[in-house]
Amino acid sequence: MTPKHGMKRREILKGTLGATSVIALAGCDNLTRSDWFAELLSRAETLTELVQRAVTPVGAMAKEYREADISAVFPANGNIDPGTQKYAEMVRDEFARWEVTVGGLVQAPASFSIGALKAMPARTQITRHDCVEGWSAIGKWTGVPLGDLMRQVRPTPGARYAVFHCADIDEQGVAYYESVAVEDLYHPQTILAYELNGKALDVPHGAPLRLRLERQLGYKHAKYVERIELVASLDGIGGGKGGYWEDQGYEWYAGI
Ligand SMILES: Nc1nc2c(c(=O)[nH]1)N[C@H]1C(S)=C(S)[C@@H](COP(=O)(O)O)O[C@H]1N2
Ligand SMILES: [Mo]
């Protein structure tokens, strides 16, 4: 895979929407009066994020589909098996010993087994996945709302991003990771999914746990999640751009 949609902040600044538009936006009374927009202005990382969040309110839901709309085949993309010995052992005992560890800037760090996650209230949603490589598929996902996990671990006020560390590594030994803004974790459709189309998640689709972040592009939906780290900055993580593909030029805020 080669980056196709990578667009750096500088390129966007030079692009369709000049810096003056942002100033005009920031100066608009209606918008600055609302709290979320003020918050957004202080937090937006890129112009894309700023503009997309401005046109789509923070809590807006991604479209949900009917059972009849579910794609006959949901392609698997990117890494389709972490391939490590440790992971192979986890597959052999059906992920009975898999745990997702939640730490970093949280008041109550914790680890959750698959069983513990399945015992929590679940959410099921039928949504469309869009990959920048040019395909889409509709699938039914079941999992635990990340907001519920966050209410248990309680991020500290300084926590701004959640980094999802995955079990797969590429040929160079670089581990896949992704990150999202803490506020997006509380969106009702942001879930840690353990089922696809009513069946336990299989290895190609990210068993036993993968992120669903329905209002962003496919590469944000980290598969094989084994650790979630709350951080104040993405600087010291991987290449510093917030994700495996972002480090190769993709946009961090992949809103759709
Ligand atoms: N850990 C991990 N997560 C990943 C990837 C990957 O290679 N490794 N690929 C991403 C990309 S580009 C897409 S489109 C989706 C594909 O998910 P799927 O295999 O369930 O279709 O997973 C995303 N999450
Ligand atoms: Mo993708």
Side-chain angles (χ1 to χ4, degrees), residues 20-21 24 28 59 67 86 156-157 177 179 192 195 215 233 241 244 247 250 256:
T20 45
S21 314
C28 172
E67 294 271 342
K86 186 180 149 205
T156 65
Y177 78 102
S179 62
L192 210 45
E195 276 181 18
R215 287 167 50 226
S233 158
K241 299 281 195 295
Y244 178 84
D247 286 341
Y250 280 32
I256 42 180

Side-chain angles (χ1 to χ4, degrees), residues 123 125 141-146 189-193 210-212:
R123 180 183 162 89
Q125 58 205 26
W141 301 96
T142 300
V144 180
L146 258 304
Q189 290 169 317
T190 302
I191 64 173
L192 210 45
R210 69 98 51 85
L211 175 65
R212 293 301 307 170

